[in-house]
Amino acid sequence: MDRVELAAFLRRRREELRPEDVGLPVGARRRAPGLRREEVASLAAMSTDYYTRLEQQRGPQPSEQMLGSLARALRLSDDERDYLFRVAGRNAPSHQAGGTHVAPALQRVLDRLNDTPALILSNLGEVLMQNRFAEALYGDSSHFTGLARSGIYRWFTDPDERLVYPEHDRDRQSRAQVANLRAAYATMGPKSRAGELVRVLQKESAEFAEIWERHEVSNRFEDHKVLVHPQLGEIEVDCQALFTEDQSQALLVLTAPPRTEAFDKLQLLGVLGTEKFVS
């Protein structure tokens, strides 16, 4: 671990970012144009004290998970992310499809979507980033670990995962989940994380095993769907997806026509957040 270079790299990347680059309000009384340390710490879900010690060359060696969070917070490119890992004394993550480092181009778009649900997904159905509207609609996905990080895995192993869709649409959604995984499997190969997901789900879910044998393939998202919020009820949304060039990540944006009930419900998500209505 090169503490001096790590501290210098973090400080320079922080100073080159602007609040508007990461979706933060500009505010007033900024002595320097870059982000504050506490802002980077908040974006990376770590304490300000921990981040400050890294910049002061006295922090402990960051874990791979912590470095990944810093790379996303500082909007690093793939090359910059790899450099961060190496000066911190860690092996740079693989660049194979299915990686969890958010594509900077998608992240810049997400940063500017502040009035409707939007999230970035890997080709394994992992939520890599989500705005507050998407978190209010789908729930916070940041606490999942291991295979459970994949929404495809949870769809076939956790009944609660299906509650966001109306019952009449769940069979179609099951087929879509499997079709998406088969597309990822073709790209990543049987020895990849996609292959591991397939092998585990074939053992754990008879439904998955049956659908997998249909050999349906797709990486598209349904253009129009109905989602169910526990307090707001059914919400009809239009779904648009922006993919990276290699199709490994997608920015999913959910909207509804203005002056409709669905539009009003989406706006209410911004007020509701992750809180629950009191009956």
Side-chain angles (χ1 to χ4, degrees):
M1 177 178 173
D2 187 337
R3 295 180 184 277
V4 175
E5 184 58 31
L6 175 62
F9 182 71
L10 290 174
R11 184 166 52 252
R12 178 54 64 92
R13 295 280 76 78
R14 174 175 63 82
E15 291 172 349
E16 290 186 350
L17 280 175
R18 303 293 185 269
E20 57 268 29
D21 295 336
V22 298
L24 295 176
V26 176
R29 298 183 180 179
R30 284 185 176 267
R31 291 178 294 179
L35 295 183
R36 300 186 177 102
R37 286 172 174 169
E38 59 266 27
E39 290 171 333
V40 174
S42 177
L43 290 169
M46 63 180 62
S47 72
T48 301
D49 177 69
Y50 182 92
Y51 179 78
T52 300
R53 283 186 287 140
L54 290 178
E55 280 203 7
Q56 293 177 344
Q57 306 175 26
R58 58 188 182 89
Q61 183 183 31
S63 66
E64 292 182 359
Q65 181 179 1
M66 194 69 75
L67 291 169
S69 296
L70 280 170
R72 288 189 291 274
L74 293 169
R75 303 327 193 230
L76 300 185
S77 68
D78 287 346
D79 289 341
E80 291 170 334
R81 185 273 313 263
D82 291 352
Y83 183 78
L84 173 66
F85 271 71
R86 292 186 180 114
V87 296
R90 304 287 186 183
N91 292 325
S94 170
H95 283 260
Q96 69 171 338
T100 58
H101 179 59
V102 178
L106 294 187
Q107 190 163 3
R108 287 194 294 271
V109 178
L110 179 65
D111 288 338
R112 287 156 176 77
L113 294 172
N114 299 314
D115 60 354
T116 197
L119 60 161
I120 297 175
L121 297 167
S122 76
N123 56 354
L124 299 181
E126 301 158 322
V127 175
L128 305 180
M129 291 191 71
Q130 58 186 157
N131 66 11
R132 62 190 181 94
F133 284 81
E135 185 174 333
L137 181 59
Y138 290 104
D140 181 10
S141 299
S142 63
H143 63 281
F144 291 114
T145 59
L147 291 178
R149 293 190 64 246
S150 167
I152 302 172
Y153 176 83
R154 298 196 306 275
W155 181 266
F156 290 100
T157 60
D158 182 359
D160 288 344
E161 189 72 12
R162 303 191 175 204
L163 298 179
V164 73
Y165 285 93
E167 187 172 359
H168 65 80
D169 195 35
R170 294 172 190 172
D171 288 343
R172 184 201 59 79
Q173 189 61 214
S174 292
R175 292 176 62 185
Q177 296 278 10
V178 177
N180 289 341
L181 179 55
R182 187 171 282 280
Y185 180 86
T187 300
M188 301 172 66
K191 295 183 179 180
S192 65
R193 291 191 298 127
E196 181 186 8
L197 265 177
V198 171
R199 290 188 293 273
V200 171
L201 285 173
Q202 283 177 319
K203 295 178 181 178
E204 294 190 11
S205 171
E207 180 191 13
F208 174 88
E210 188 274 326
I211 299 175
W212 182 257
E213 291 305 313
R214 300 183 188 183
H215 290 266
E216 296 174 336
V217 185
S218 174
N219 57 14
R220 288 178 57 88
F221 291 88
E222 195 72 16
D223 293 333
H224 185 81
K225 61 177 66 178
V226 176
L227 300 175
V228 181
H229 187 272
Q231 280 74 45
L232 302 180
E234 293 189 353
I235 309 175
E236 289 190 47
V237 296
D238 293 313
C239 176
Q240 298 297 322
L242 176 64
F243 288 90
T244 55
E245 186 174 355
D246 62 3
Q247 302 280 301
S248 65
Q249 295 180 13
L251 170 63
L252 201 62
V253 183
L254 306 177
T255 63
R259 297 177 297 281
T260 63
E261 181 183 8
F263 179 86
D264 292 340
K265 287 182 177 181
L266 290 182
Q267 297 306 299
L268 189 54
L269 286 174
V271 179
L272 175 64
T274 54
E275 298 178 1
K276 305 297 184 184
F277 282 133
V278 178
S279 57

